[in-house]
C-alpha cells in the first residue's frame, strides 16, 4: 500500500546537536511538506518542495534545513540554531499535477516524529 | 496569515449536529478540512475549490464562500468516531501555488454517548 513513512517515531536531541528526521513516500506525489505542531496549536509550515532539487522556506524555516534529491524523499534537519525544537513534526505530500494541469489535492500525512530536547 | 477557526471547542452528545467555521483575511483559492485524533496524523476529509461549491463525505459536508473568504464544516448526527481536532487549511492562490496550505489553530470536537 502507498503512503508516507516518517522515522523515527520518537527522537531525543541533546543541546547543540543536529538531528535529521526522515520522510519517504511511495505515492508518486510531486509536492512534499514539513509542518511543526506544538501542543494545542495548529500546524506551521517549515519547508516545502514542489519538485526534485527545489524547495522553499515556509513560515518558520529558521533553524531547519531540508533537501530534495529524490522525488520520494524529503528529510528535515533540525539544527542547533533552532532554539525550541521540542514539538511534533509532520511530513505530508500531495499530487499537484494531473495530465499537465495544476490541481489542488488533499495532503497525505505521515505518522509524525515527536522530538524532545534533553 | 493563519485562518481563524471557531469555535475553539465543542462538546456534543451522539446524534447532535455541529458547525465549525474557518475565516481568512486573504482571498482564497481552496479550503481543505482535516481531522486529527490524539497523537495521530491528520486525515484528509475534503477540499473545496473557488466557486462556492459544497461537498459531502458521509454525514460531514462543507461549504466555501469565496466572497466572504469563509468555509464551514457541517457534522450531522454526530458519532463517537467524529471526536478529534478539526483543522482547516487554506491556499491563498491557485495556479502554480501547488497547494501550500496555512492551517487554522484547530477546533476540538468531543462527542459523548
Amino acid at each position: 500500500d502507498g503512503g508516507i513513512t516518517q522515522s523515527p517515531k520518537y527522537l531525543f536531541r541533546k543541546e547543540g546537536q543536529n538531528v535529521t528526521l526522515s520522510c519517504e513516500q511511495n505515492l508518486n506525489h510531486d509536492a512534499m511538506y514539513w509542518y511543526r505542531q506544538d501542543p494545542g496549536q495548529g500546524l506551521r509550515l517549515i519547508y516545502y518542495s514542489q519538485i526534485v532539487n527545489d524547495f522553499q522556506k515556509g513560515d518558520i524555516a529558521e533553524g531547519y534545513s531540508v533537501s530534495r534529491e529524490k522525488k520520494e524523499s524529503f528529510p528535515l534537519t533540525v539544527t542547533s540554531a533552532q532554539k525550541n525544537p521540542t514539538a511534533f513534526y509532520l511530513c505530508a505530500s500531495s499530487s499537484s499535477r494531473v495530465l499537465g494541469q495544476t490541481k489542488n489535492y488533499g495532503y497525505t500525512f505521515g505518522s509524525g516524529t515527536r522530538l524532545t530536547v534533553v | 496569515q493563519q485562518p481563524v477557526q471557531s469555535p475553539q471547542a465543542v462538546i456534543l452528545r451522539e446524534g447532535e449536529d455541529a458547525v465549525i467555521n474557518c475565516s481568512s483575511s486573504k482571498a482564497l483559492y481552496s479550503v481543505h478540512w482535516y481531522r486529527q485524533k490524539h497523537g495521530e496524523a491528520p486525515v484528509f476529509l475534503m477540499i473545496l475549490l473557488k466557486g462556492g461549491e459544497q461537498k459531502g463525505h458521509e454525514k460531514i459536508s462543507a461549504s466555501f464562500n469565496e466572497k466572504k473568504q469563509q468555509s464551514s464544516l457541517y457534522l450531522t448526527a454526530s458519532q463517537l468516531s467524529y471526536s478529534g481536532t478539526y483543522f482547516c487549511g487554506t491556499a491563498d492562490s491557485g495556479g502554480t501555488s501547488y497547494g501550500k496550505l496555512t492551517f487554522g489553530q484547530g477546533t476540538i470536537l468531543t462527542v459523548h454517548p
Side-chain angles (χ1 to χ4, degrees):
Chain A
D1 287 338
I4 296 186
T5 301
Q6 287 188 245
S7 61
K9 192 177 176 78
Y10 299 96
L11 187 57
F12 298 90
R13 192 194 93 168
K14 294 181 181 179
E15 295 281 353
Q17 194 177 44
N18 292 356
V19 291
T20 297
L21 283 60
S22 172
C23 178
E24 303 274 336
Q25 56 100 356
N26 61 1
L27 300 164
N28 199 32
H29 285 171
D30 294 313
M32 297 186 74
Y33 314 84
W34 274 106
Y35 284 88
R36 169 181 171 142
Q37 187 174 30
D38 293 284
Q41 296 190 33
L43 287 72
R44 292 184 290 167
L45 183 64
I46 305 172
Y47 268 98
Y48 65 103
S49 169
Q50 299 163 346
I51 198 168
V52 174
N53 292 323
D54 185 55
F55 48 83
Q56 308 294 329
K57 291 183 179 180
D59 300 319
I60 55 166
E62 186 174 351
Y64 300 97
S65 65
V66 293
S67 63
R68 187 88 185 275
E69 296 177 1
K70 298 186 301 181
K71 188 175 185 177
E72 303 79 16
S73 179
F74 192 40
L76 172 74
T77 297
V78 184
T79 74
S80 56
Q82 171 49 240
K83 298 305 178 190
N84 185 23
T86 295
F88 188 47
Y89 290 86
L90 286 161
C91 179
S93 70
S94 68
S95 177
S96 59
R97 290 187 184 276
V98 176
L99 298 176
Q101 294 183 346
T102 300
K103 299 281 187 182
N104 272 279
Y105 288 92
Y107 284 9
T108 299
F109 282 90
S111 55
T113 293
R114 196 166 296 278
L115 175 63
T116 304
V117 174
V118 296
Chain B
Q1 193 162 354
Q2 187 180 31
V4 176
Q5 290 184 230
S6 63
Q8 288 188 319
V10 58
I11 299 174
L12 302 172
R13 293 233 175 254
E14 265 188 302
E16 292 182 338
D17 302 340
V19 180
I20 300 171
N21 299 302
C22 175
S23 181
S24 175
S25 59
K26 293 184 173 184
L28 299 178
Y29 177 78
S30 66
V31 179
H32 296 217
W33 286 96
Y34 294 82
R35 177 171 60 212
Q36 185 180 30
K37 302 278 186 178
H38 184 69
E40 298 179 7
V43 173
F44 173 69
L45 294 176
M46 66 189 72
I47 180 174
L48 299 103
L49 301 177
K50 194 167 72 169
E53 65 181 290
Q54 182 158 355
K55 299 189 76 171
H57 178 77
E58 297 177 346
K59 293 181 181 178
I60 301 174
S61 62
S63 62
F64 176 26
N65 186 324
E66 63 193 78
K67 288 184 179 179
K68 292 186 177 181
Q69 295 155 201
Q70 291 177 347
S71 178
S72 294
L73 185 70
Y74 307 94
L75 300 102
T76 58
S78 59
Q79 305 167 14
L80 295 176
S81 62
Y82 286 4
S83 292
T85 301
Y86 289 78
F87 293 98
C88 67
T90 58
D92 57 8
S93 59
T96 59
S97 75
Y98 297 19
K100 179 174 73 77
L101 297 180
T102 303
F103 285 90
Q105 81 280 16
T107 295
I108 300 172
L109 180 78
T110 305
V111 181
H112 290 298

